[in-house]
Amino acid sequence: MEYLPNILFGVILFAGVGYFVRNVQKLQRNIKLGNDVDVNDNKAQRWKNMLKIALGQTKMVVRPIAGLMHIIVYVGFVIINIEVLEIIIDGLLGTHRIFAPLGIVYDFLIGSFEVLALLVIIAVVVFWLRRNVIRLQRFVKPEMEGWPKKDGNLILYIELVLMFLFLTMNAADFQLQQLGAAHYEQAGAFPVSQFLLPIFDGMSISTVILIERIAWWAHIIGILFFLNYLYYSKHLHILLAFPNTYYGKLGPLGKFSNVEAVTNEVKLMLDPTADPFAAPADDAAEPGKFGASDVMDLNWVQLLNAYTCTECGRCTSECPANQTGKKLSPRKIMMDTRDRLEEVGKNIDANQGKFVPDGKQLLDDYITKEELWACTTCNACVQACPVSIDPLSIIVEMRRYLVMEQSAAPTELNNMMSNIENNGAPWPYNQMDRLNWVNE
């Protein structure tokens, strides 16, 4: 019976980590459904971008209030993992505050954790007010109705509960140290939780131990729950922001990618020595599907982008099309891509690892043509994203499909392309008449 709590802790830890690993494997499987793309160039710059954007949070502070609050929560999340490590070791070995021998260093760490916990509580309250009382415009867009709004609030509630459990656990521990309870040696500094001590006035040692143990168990179980909830939440960016910023686009924003098969055909047309009737070379790129109508037509970096989306709405708030009342929302593009990819993943799970056509696709069933053609390709969304997501690349690929596979471009665009083909310019004037305006 002496080791029963340690065994129970080990079982809970194993189950929590095991389920998390299962989710990570499913995530990798879904992302790999995308086409391959070469993103191994300029590794030094990629590492620099990851350290600067994901770790350094440089694009978050463009909006100072939200940026500062986010950095507090982010730093608190990273540093408090040291405290989680101590809890795990104590839970497995049956020890209590195993890092206490670090002395003054340990006092500094615990004190820092408590100050950060308080700052996180303040930041979370500010975030909640911005979402639910002030109701910032970017948080009340149509795509944020229903689950996305609930998810955003649920994350805030979980963070609040975890921080309060941490402070309650420390306050009870400090009270037991003051009372000289066995197994609770003098260790740590408690600049915040010490103000909770009046709560325990008049309680027996056994009652305070019970409160401390309940808070301790609830805190670690809450962390394991949060870890596994990430897969179903917008907070998956906590893990994916690092690879996403590493694989982010390095070239000029908005640079159009060419289709290899079309490029080869154009080169053949421009080569005066080429035989137009010759059989294609064995290694020539076969024209496949042009553009994208479903998530499997996108590349894996674009699918990684979809899972990394924080739903912060900075892209949509900067989008000129959205600002003028158009249906386009870059955030919705990423959310729709992720939702469709999840639907495809569930289809594969239900059919023994194979995708069975379900009569649906990303185009039309999730993203409308009206949204796609509203985009001005200005790259404001790409520039605004704090984790290097590129909604424009998905929009362009889907428009490529509409033009090259379905000939479904808007009439104005078809007229322009016909004019370029016939007149060498977007305007409906004969090349011989192009300079007539000079005579006026």
mmCIF file with all atom_site columns, all heavy atoms in Angstrom, residues 42-63:
data_model
loop_
_atom_site.group_PDB
_atom_site.id
_atom_site.type_symbol
_atom_site.label_atom_id
_atom_site.label_alt_id
_atom_site.label_comp_id
_atom_site.label_asym_id
_atom_site.label_entity_id
_atom_site.label_seq_id
_atom_site.pdbx_PDB_ins_code
_atom_site.Cartn_x
_atom_site.Cartn_y
_atom_site.Cartn_z
_atom_site.occupancy
_atom_site.B_iso_or_equiv
_atom_site.pdbx_formal_charge
_atom_site.auth_seq_id
_atom_site.auth_comp_id
_atom_site.auth_asym_id
_atom_site.auth_atom_id
_atom_site.pdbx_PDB_model_num
ATOM 1   N N   . ASN A 1 42 ? 18.806 27.015 -47.436 1.00 0.00 ? 42 ASN A N   1
ATOM 2   C CA  . ASN A 1 42 ? 19.161 28.108 -46.516 1.00 0.00 ? 42 ASN A CA  1
ATOM 3   C C   . ASN A 1 42 ? 18.802 27.790 -45.062 1.00 0.00 ? 42 ASN A C   1
ATOM 4   O O   . ASN A 1 42 ? 18.038 28.509 -44.410 1.00 0.00 ? 42 ASN A O   1
ATOM 5   C CB  . ASN A 1 42 ? 18.451 29.396 -46.949 1.00 0.00 ? 42 ASN A CB  1
ATOM 6   C CG  . ASN A 1 42 ? 19.194 30.636 -46.465 1.00 0.00 ? 42 ASN A CG  1
ATOM 7   O OD1 . ASN A 1 42 ? 20.018 30.560 -45.541 1.00 0.00 ? 42 ASN A OD1 1
ATOM 8   N ND2 . ASN A 1 42 ? 18.901 31.778 -47.067 1.00 0.00 ? 42 ASN A ND2 1
ATOM 9   N N   . LYS A 1 43 ? 19.376 26.708 -44.549 1.00 0.00 ? 43 LYS A N   1
ATOM 10  C CA  . LYS A 1 43 ? 19.036 26.252 -43.201 1.00 0.00 ? 43 LYS A CA  1
ATOM 11  C C   . LYS A 1 43 ? 19.400 27.284 -42.131 1.00 0.00 ? 43 LYS A C   1
ATOM 12  O O   . LYS A 1 43 ? 18.710 27.413 -41.117 1.00 0.00 ? 43 LYS A O   1
ATOM 13  C CB  . LYS A 1 43 ? 19.729 24.925 -42.919 1.00 0.00 ? 43 LYS A CB  1
ATOM 14  C CG  . LYS A 1 43 ? 19.190 23.783 -43.770 1.00 0.00 ? 43 LYS A CG  1
ATOM 15  C CD  . LYS A 1 43 ? 19.852 22.455 -43.413 1.00 0.00 ? 43 LYS A CD  1
ATOM 16  C CE  . LYS A 1 43 ? 19.265 21.326 -44.249 1.00 0.00 ? 43 LYS A CE  1
ATOM 17  N NZ  . LYS A 1 43 ? 19.860 20.011 -43.934 1.00 0.00 ? 43 LYS A NZ  1
ATOM 18  N N   . ALA A 1 44 ? 20.482 28.009 -42.348 1.00 0.00 ? 44 ALA A N   1
ATOM 19  C CA  . ALA A 1 44 ? 20.895 29.016 -41.365 1.00 0.00 ? 44 ALA A CA  1
ATOM 20  C C   . ALA A 1 44 ? 19.809 30.077 -41.187 1.00 0.00 ? 44 ALA A C   1
ATOM 21  O O   . ALA A 1 44 ? 19.482 30.472 -40.060 1.00 0.00 ? 44 ALA A O   1
ATOM 22  C CB  . ALA A 1 44 ? 22.204 29.664 -41.801 1.00 0.00 ? 44 ALA A CB  1
ATOM 23  N N   . GLN A 1 45 ? 19.243 30.534 -42.303 1.00 0.00 ? 45 GLN A N   1
ATOM 24  C CA  . GLN A 1 45 ? 18.173 31.532 -42.230 1.00 0.00 ? 45 GLN A CA  1
ATOM 25  C C   . GLN A 1 45 ? 16.918 30.955 -41.595 1.00 0.00 ? 45 GLN A C   1
ATOM 26  O O   . GLN A 1 45 ? 16.209 31.631 -40.839 1.00 0.00 ? 45 GLN A O   1
ATOM 27  C CB  . GLN A 1 45 ? 17.848 32.053 -43.637 1.00 0.00 ? 45 GLN A CB  1
ATOM 28  C CG  . GLN A 1 45 ? 16.800 33.152 -43.680 1.00 0.00 ? 45 GLN A CG  1
ATOM 29  C CD  . GLN A 1 45 ? 17.221 34.393 -42.904 1.00 0.00 ? 45 GLN A CD  1
ATOM 30  O OE1 . GLN A 1 45 ? 18.351 34.864 -43.037 1.00 0.00 ? 45 GLN A OE1 1
ATOM 31  N NE2 . GLN A 1 45 ? 16.326 34.926 -42.072 1.00 0.00 ? 45 GLN A NE2 1
ATOM 32  N N   . ARG A 1 46 ? 16.651 29.692 -41.864 1.00 0.00 ? 46 ARG A N   1
ATOM 33  C CA  . ARG A 1 46 ? 15.467 29.050 -41.287 1.00 0.00 ? 46 ARG A CA  1
ATOM 34  C C   . ARG A 1 46 ? 15.597 28.942 -39.765 1.00 0.00 ? 46 ARG A C   1
ATOM 35  O O   . ARG A 1 46 ? 14.644 29.195 -39.023 1.00 0.00 ? 46 ARG A O   1
ATOM 36  C CB  . ARG A 1 46 ? 15.248 27.672 -41.919 1.00 0.00 ? 46 ARG A CB  1
ATOM 37  C CG  . ARG A 1 46 ? 14.860 27.740 -43.383 1.00 0.00 ? 46 ARG A CG  1
ATOM 38  C CD  . ARG A 1 46 ? 14.477 26.395 -43.953 1.00 0.00 ? 46 ARG A CD  1
ATOM 39  N NE  . ARG A 1 46 ? 14.119 26.502 -45.359 1.00 0.00 ? 46 ARG A NE  1
ATOM 40  C CZ  . ARG A 1 46 ? 12.937 26.920 -45.801 1.00 0.00 ? 46 ARG A CZ  1
ATOM 41  N NH1 . ARG A 1 46 ? 12.004 27.257 -44.935 1.00 0.00 ? 46 ARG A NH1 1
ATOM 42  N NH2 . ARG A 1 46 ? 12.693 26.994 -47.096 1.00 0.00 ? 46 ARG A NH2 1
ATOM 43  N N   . TRP A 1 47 ? 16.776 28.548 -39.288 1.00 0.00 ? 47 TRP A N   1
ATOM 44  C CA  . TRP A 1 47 ? 16.999 28.492 -37.848 1.00 0.00 ? 47 TRP A CA  1
ATOM 45  C C   . TRP A 1 47 ? 16.861 29.881 -37.214 1.00 0.00 ? 47 TRP A C   1
ATOM 46  O O   . TRP A 1 47 ? 16.293 30.040 -36.134 1.00 0.00 ? 47 TRP A O   1
ATOM 47  C CB  . TRP A 1 47 ? 18.378 27.911 -37.546 1.00 0.00 ? 47 TRP A CB  1
ATOM 48  C CG  . TRP A 1 47 ? 18.432 26.418 -37.609 1.00 0.00 ? 47 TRP A CG  1
ATOM 49  C CD1 . TRP A 1 47 ? 18.996 25.654 -38.580 1.00 0.00 ? 47 TRP A CD1 1
ATOM 50  C CD2 . TRP A 1 47 ? 17.880 25.496 -36.653 1.00 0.00 ? 47 TRP A CD2 1
ATOM 51  N NE1 . TRP A 1 47 ? 18.838 24.325 -38.312 1.00 0.00 ? 47 TRP A NE1 1
ATOM 52  C CE2 . TRP A 1 47 ? 18.166 24.196 -37.128 1.00 0.00 ? 47 TRP A CE2 1
ATOM 53  C CE3 . TRP A 1 47 ? 17.178 25.633 -35.459 1.00 0.00 ? 47 TRP A CE3 1
ATOM 54  C CZ2 . TRP A 1 47 ? 17.755 23.046 -36.438 1.00 0.00 ? 47 TRP A CZ2 1
ATOM 55  C CZ3 . TRP A 1 47 ? 16.778 24.498 -34.766 1.00 0.00 ? 47 TRP A CZ3 1
ATOM 56  C CH2 . TRP A 1 47 ? 17.068 23.229 -35.251 1.00 0.00 ? 47 TRP A CH2 1
ATOM 57  N N   . LYS A 1 48 ? 17.378 30.869 -37.913 1.00 0.00 ? 48 LYS A N   1
ATOM 58  C CA  . LYS A 1 48 ? 17.293 32.243 -37.420 1.00 0.00 ? 48 LYS A CA  1
ATOM 59  C C   . LYS A 1 48 ? 15.837 32.688 -37.310 1.00 0.00 ? 48 LYS A C   1
ATOM 60  O O   . LYS A 1 48 ? 15.432 33.303 -36.310 1.00 0.00 ? 48 LYS A O   1
ATOM 61  C CB  . LYS A 1 48 ? 18.065 33.172 -38.356 1.00 0.00 ? 48 LYS A CB  1
ATOM 62  C CG  . LYS A 1 48 ? 18.065 34.623 -37.917 1.00 0.00 ? 48 LYS A CG  1
ATOM 63  C CD  . LYS A 1 48 ? 18.865 35.485 -38.901 1.00 0.00 ? 48 LYS A CD  1
ATOM 64  C CE  . LYS A 1 48 ? 18.834 36.946 -38.497 1.00 0.00 ? 48 LYS A CE  1
ATOM 65  N NZ  . LYS A 1 48 ? 19.583 37.800 -39.464 1.00 0.00 ? 48 LYS A NZ  1
ATOM 66  N N   . ASN A 1 49 ? 15.039 32.370 -38.327 1.00 0.00 ? 49 ASN A N   1
ATOM 67  C CA  . ASN A 1 49 ? 13.624 32.734 -38.303 1.00 0.00 ? 49 ASN A CA  1
ATOM 68  C C   . ASN A 1 49 ? 12.892 32.055 -37.155 1.00 0.00 ? 49 ASN A C   1
ATOM 69  O O   . ASN A 1 49 ? 12.061 32.670 -36.481 1.00 0.00 ? 49 ASN A O   1
ATOM 70  C CB  . ASN A 1 49 ? 12.965 32.358 -39.635 1.00 0.00 ? 49 ASN A CB  1
ATOM 71  C CG  . ASN A 1 49 ? 13.374 33.272 -40.770 1.00 0.00 ? 49 ASN A CG  1
ATOM 72  O OD1 . ASN A 1 49 ? 13.995 34.309 -40.548 1.00 0.00 ? 49 ASN A OD1 1
ATOM 73  N ND2 . ASN A 1 49 ? 13.054 32.880 -41.984 1.00 0.00 ? 49 ASN A ND2 1
ATOM 74  N N   . MET A 1 50 ? 13.200 30.772 -36.938 1.00 0.00 ? 50 MET A N   1
ATOM 75  C CA  . MET A 1 50 ? 12.525 30.035 -35.873 1.00 0.00 ? 50 MET A CA  1
ATOM 76  C C   . MET A 1 50 ? 12.859 30.634 -34.508 1.00 0.00 ? 50 MET A C   1
ATOM 77  O O   . MET A 1 50 ? 11.971 30.830 -33.668 1.00 0.00 ? 50 MET A O   1
ATOM 78  C CB  . MET A 1 50 ? 12.920 28.562 -35.915 1.00 0.00 ? 50 MET A CB  1
ATOM 79  C CG  . MET A 1 50 ? 12.175 27.706 -34.891 1.00 0.00 ? 50 MET A CG  1
ATOM 80  S SD  . MET A 1 50 ? 12.665 25.975 -34.902 1.00 0.00 ? 50 MET A SD  1
ATOM 81  C CE  . MET A 1 50 ? 14.292 26.101 -34.146 1.00 0.00 ? 50 MET A CE  1
ATOM 82  N N   . LEU A 1 51 ? 14.134 30.926 -34.289 1.00 0.00 ? 51 LEU A N   1
ATOM 83  C CA  . LEU A 1 51 ? 14.544 31.489 -33.003 1.00 0.00 ? 51 LEU A CA  1
ATOM 84  C C   . LEU A 1 51 ? 13.962 32.884 -32.796 1.00 0.00 ? 51 LEU A C   1
ATOM 85  O O   . LEU A 1 51 ? 13.541 33.243 -31.694 1.00 0.00 ? 51 LEU A O   1
ATOM 86  C CB  . LEU A 1 51 ? 16.073 31.536 -32.921 1.00 0.00 ? 51 LEU A CB  1
ATOM 87  C CG  . LEU A 1 51 ? 16.785 30.169 -32.877 1.00 0.00 ? 51 LEU A CG  1
ATOM 88  C CD1 . LEU A 1 51 ? 18.298 30.346 -32.955 1.00 0.00 ? 51 LEU A CD1 1
ATOM 89  C CD2 . LEU A 1 51 ? 16.407 29.410 -31.610 1.00 0.00 ? 51 LEU A CD2 1
ATOM 90  N N   . LYS A 1 52 ? 13.916 33.655 -33.867 1.00 0.00 ? 52 LYS A N   1
ATOM 91  C CA  . LYS A 1 52 ? 13.449 35.039 -33.757 1.00 0.00 ? 52 LYS A CA  1
ATOM 92  C C   . LYS A 1 52 ? 11.928 35.118 -33.636 1.00 0.00 ? 52 LYS A C   1
ATOM 93  O O   . LYS A 1 52 ? 11.408 35.851 -32.786 1.00 0.00 ? 52 LYS A O   1
ATOM 94  C CB  . LYS A 1 52 ? 13.918 35.829 -34.990 1.00 0.00 ? 52 LYS A CB  1
ATOM 95  C CG  . LYS A 1 52 ? 13.527 37.303 -34.956 1.00 0.00 ? 52 LYS A CG  1
ATOM 96  C CD  . LYS A 1 52 ? 14.124 38.053 -36.138 1.00 0.00 ? 52 LYS A CD  1
ATOM 97  C CE  . LYS A 1 52 ? 13.535 37.607 -37.450 1.00 0.00 ? 52 LYS A CE  1
ATOM 98  N NZ  . LYS A 1 52 ? 13.986 38.442 -38.595 1.00 0.00 ? 52 LYS A NZ  1
ATOM 99  N N   . ILE A 1 53 ? 11.212 34.341 -34.456 1.00 0.00 ? 53 ILE A N   1
ATOM 100 C CA  . ILE A 1 53 ? 9.755  34.477 -34.518 1.00 0.00 ? 53 ILE A CA  1
ATOM 101 C C   . ILE A 1 53 ? 9.052  33.580 -33.500 1.00 0.00 ? 53 ILE A C   1
ATOM 102 O O   . ILE A 1 53 ? 8.175  34.036 -32.757 1.00 0.00 ? 53 ILE A O   1
ATOM 103 C CB  . ILE A 1 53 ? 9.253  34.161 -35.939 1.00 0.00 ? 53 ILE A CB  1
ATOM 104 C CG1 . ILE A 1 53 ? 9.876  35.139 -36.944 1.00 0.00 ? 53 ILE A CG1 1
ATOM 105 C CG2 . ILE A 1 53 ? 7.732  34.244 -36.003 1.00 0.00 ? 53 ILE A CG2 1
ATOM 106 C CD1 . ILE A 1 53 ? 9.580  34.806 -38.394 1.00 0.00 ? 53 ILE A CD1 1
ATOM 107 N N   . ALA A 1 54 ? 9.424  32.286 -33.456 1.00 0.00 ? 54 ALA A N   1
ATOM 108 C CA  . ALA A 1 54 ? 8.736  31.356 -32.550 1.00 0.00 ? 54 ALA A CA  1
ATOM 109 C C   . ALA A 1 54 ? 9.213  31.514 -31.111 1.00 0.00 ? 54 ALA A C   1
ATOM 110 O O   . ALA A 1 54 ? 8.398  31.606 -30.188 1.00 0.00 ? 54 ALA A O   1
ATOM 111 C CB  . ALA A 1 54 ? 8.956  29.922 -33.019 1.00 0.00 ? 54 ALA A CB  1
ATOM 112 N N   . LEU A 1 55 ? 10.528 31.560 -30.923 1.00 0.00 ? 55 LEU A N   1
ATOM 113 C CA  . LEU A 1 55 ? 11.057 31.668 -29.568 1.00 0.00 ? 55 LEU A CA  1
ATOM 114 C C   . LEU A 1 55 ? 11.077 33.118 -29.083 1.00 0.00 ? 55 LEU A C   1
ATOM 115 O O   . LEU A 1 55 ? 10.688 33.416 -27.954 1.00 0.00 ? 55 LEU A O   1
ATOM 116 C CB  . LEU A 1 55 ? 12.466 31.074 -29.502 1.00 0.00 ? 55 LEU A CB  1
ATOM 117 C CG  . LEU A 1 55 ? 13.089 30.962 -28.113 1.00 0.00 ? 55 LEU A CG  1
ATOM 118 C CD1 . LEU A 1 55 ? 12.259 30.014 -27.245 1.00 0.00 ? 55 LEU A CD1 1
ATOM 119 C CD2 . LEU A 1 55 ? 14.534 30.461 -28.202 1.00 0.00 ? 55 LEU A CD2 1
ATOM 120 N N   . GLY A 1 56 ? 11.503 34.025 -29.960 1.00 0.00 ? 56 GLY A N   1
ATOM 121 C CA  . GLY A 1 56 ? 11.623 35.426 -29.572 1.00 0.00 ? 56 GLY A CA  1
ATOM 122 C C   . GLY A 1 56 ? 10.335 36.225 -29.627 1.00 0.00 ? 56 GLY A C   1
ATOM 123 O O   . GLY A 1 56 ? 10.281 37.350 -29.118 1.00 0.00 ? 56 GLY A O   1
ATOM 124 N N   . GLN A 1 57 ? 9.285  35.670 -30.267 1.00 0.00 ? 57 GLN A N   1
ATOM 125 C CA  . GLN A 1 57 ? 7.971  36.317 -30.307 1.00 0.00 ? 57 GLN A CA  1
ATOM 126 C C   . GLN A 1 57 ? 8.008  37.718 -30.939 1.00 0.00 ? 57 GLN A C   1
ATOM 127 O O   . GLN A 1 57 ? 7.251  38.613 -30.559 1.00 0.00 ? 57 GLN A O   1
ATOM 128 C CB  . GLN A 1 57 ? 7.405  36.432 -28.885 1.00 0.00 ? 57 GLN A CB  1
ATOM 129 C CG  . GLN A 1 57 ? 7.289  35.125 -28.128 1.00 0.00 ? 57 GLN A CG  1
ATOM 130 C CD  . GLN A 1 57 ? 6.051  34.347 -28.521 1.00 0.00 ? 57 GLN A CD  1
ATOM 131 O OE1 . GLN A 1 57 ? 4.949  34.725 -28.214 1.00 0.00 ? 57 GLN A OE1 1
ATOM 132 N NE2 . GLN A 1 57 ? 6.274  33.256 -29.220 1.00 0.00 ? 57 GLN A NE2 1
ATOM 133 N N   . THR A 1 58 ? 8.919  37.920 -31.910 1.00 0.00 ? 58 THR A N   1
ATOM 134 C CA  . THR A 1 58 ? 9.112  39.262 -32.463 1.00 0.00 ? 58 THR A CA  1
ATOM 135 C C   . THR A 1 58 ? 7.882  39.809 -33.184 1.00 0.00 ? 58 THR A C   1
ATOM 136 O O   . THR A 1 58 ? 7.648  41.024 -33.183 1.00 0.00 ? 58 THR A O   1
ATOM 137 C CB  . THR A 1 58 ? 10.307 39.265 -33.435 1.00 0.00 ? 58 THR A CB  1
ATOM 138 O OG1 . THR A 1 58 ? 10.119 38.234 -34.419 1.00 0.00 ? 58 THR A OG1 1
ATOM 139 C CG2 . THR A 1 58 ? 11.608 39.025 -32.697 1.00 0.00 ? 58 THR A CG2 1
ATOM 140 N N   . LYS A 1 59 ? 7.090  38.936 -33.812 1.00 0.00 ? 59 LYS A N   1
ATOM 141 C CA  . LYS A 1 59 ? 5.927  39.422 -34.551 1.00 0.00 ? 59 LYS A CA  1
ATOM 142 C C   . LYS A 1 59 ? 4.712  39.610 -33.647 1.00 0.00 ? 59 LYS A C   1
ATOM 143 O O   . LYS A 1 59 ? 3.716  40.216 -34.067 1.00 0.00 ? 59 LYS A O   1
ATOM 144 C CB  . LYS A 1 59 ? 5.590  38.466 -35.700 1.00 0.00 ? 59 LYS A CB  1
ATOM 145 C CG  . LYS A 1 59 ? 6.693  38.389 -36.751 1.00 0.00 ? 59 LYS A CG  1
ATOM 146 C CD  . LYS A 1 59 ? 6.282  37.574 -37.947 1.00 0.00 ? 59 LYS A CD  1
ATOM 147 C CE  . LYS A 1 59 ? 5.318  38.334 -38.836 1.00 0.00 ? 59 LYS A CE  1
ATOM 148 N NZ  . LYS A 1 59 ? 5.023  37.617 -40.107 1.00 0.00 ? 59 LYS A NZ  1
ATOM 149 N N   . MET A 1 60 ? 4.785  39.118 -32.411 1.00 0.00 ? 60 MET A N   1
ATOM 150 C CA  . MET A 1 60 ? 3.672  39.294 -31.484 1.00 0.00 ? 60 MET A CA  1
ATOM 151 C C   . MET A 1 60 ? 3.599  40.727 -30.963 1.00 0.00 ? 60 MET A C   1
ATOM 152 O O   . MET A 1 60 ? 2.521  41.279 -30.764 1.00 0.00 ? 60 MET A O   1
ATOM 153 C CB  . MET A 1 60 ? 3.799  38.336 -30.294 1.00 0.00 ? 60 MET A CB  1
ATOM 154 C CG  . MET A 1 60 ? 3.453  36.889 -30.595 1.00 0.00 ? 60 MET A CG  1
ATOM 155 S SD  . MET A 1 60 ? 1.734  36.660 -31.152 1.00 0.00 ? 60 MET A SD  1
ATOM 156 C CE  . MET A 1 60 ? 0.820  37.362 -29.780 1.00 0.00 ? 60 MET A CE  1
ATOM 157 N N   . VAL A 1 61 ? 4.763  41.323 -30.741 1.00 0.00 ? 61 VAL A N   1
ATOM 158 C CA  . VAL A 1 61 ? 4.796  42.640 -30.089 1.00 0.00 ? 61 VAL A CA  1
ATOM 159 C C   . VAL A 1 61 ? 4.470  43.778 -31.043 1.00 0.00 ? 61 VAL A C   1
ATOM 160 O O   . VAL A 1 61 ? 4.508  44.940 -30.648 1.00 0.00 ? 61 VAL A O   1
ATOM 161 C CB  . VAL A 1 61 ? 6.178  42.886 -29.439 1.00 0.00 ? 61 VAL A CB  1
ATOM 162 C CG1 . VAL A 1 61 ? 6.402  41.911 -28.302 1.00 0.00 ? 61 VAL A CG1 1
ATOM 163 C CG2 . VAL A 1 61 ? 7.300  42.768 -30.465 1.00 0.00 ? 61 VAL A CG2 1
ATOM 164 N N   . VAL A 1 62 ? 4.137  43.456 -32.297 1.00 0.00 ? 62 VAL A N   1
ATOM 165 C CA  . VAL A 1 62 ? 3.681  44.494 -33.217 1.00 0.00 ? 62 VAL A CA  1
ATOM 166 C C   . VAL A 1 62 ? 2.430  45.159 -32.647 1.00 0.00 ? 62 VAL A C   1
ATOM 167 O O   . VAL A 1 62 ? 2.206  46.354 -32.802 1.00 0.00 ? 62 VAL A O   1
ATOM 168 C CB  . VAL A 1 62 ? 3.396  43.892 -34.611 1.00 0.00 ? 62 VAL A CB  1
ATOM 169 C CG1 . VAL A 1 62 ? 2.772  44.931 -35.529 1.00 0.00 ? 62 VAL A CG1 1
ATOM 170 C CG2 . VAL A 1 62 ? 4.697  43.360 -35.215 1.00 0.00 ? 62 VAL A CG2 1
ATOM 171 N N   . ARG A 1 63 ? 1.620  44.350 -31.961 1.00 0.00 ? 63 ARG A N   1
ATOM 172 C CA  . ARG A 1 63 ? 0.472  44.875 -31.215 1.00 0.00 ? 63 ARG A CA  1
ATOM 173 C C   . ARG A 1 63 ? 0.844  44.768 -29.736 1.00 0.00 ? 63 ARG A C   1
ATOM 174 O O   . ARG A 1 63 ? 0.753  43.693 -29.142 1.00 0.00 ? 63 ARG A O   1
ATOM 175 C CB  . ARG A 1 63 ? -0.790 44.081 -31.529 1.00 0.00 ? 63 ARG A CB  1
ATOM 176 C CG  . ARG A 1 63 ? -1.118 44.085 -33.020 1.00 0.00 ? 63 ARG A CG  1
ATOM 177 C CD  . ARG A 1 63 ? -2.476 43.518 -33.310 1.00 0.00 ? 63 ARG A CD  1
ATOM 178 N NE  . ARG A 1 63 ? -2.745 43.521 -34.746 1.00 0.00 ? 63 ARG A NE  1
ATOM 179 C CZ  . ARG A 1 63 ? -3.948 43.328 -35.280 1.00 0.00 ? 63 ARG A CZ  1
ATOM 180 N NH1 . ARG A 1 63 ? -4.985 43.126 -34.486 1.00 0.00 ? 63 ARG A NH1 1
ATOM 181 N NH2 . ARG A 1 63 ? -4.111 43.339 -36.589 1.00 0.00 ? 63 ARG A NH2 1
#
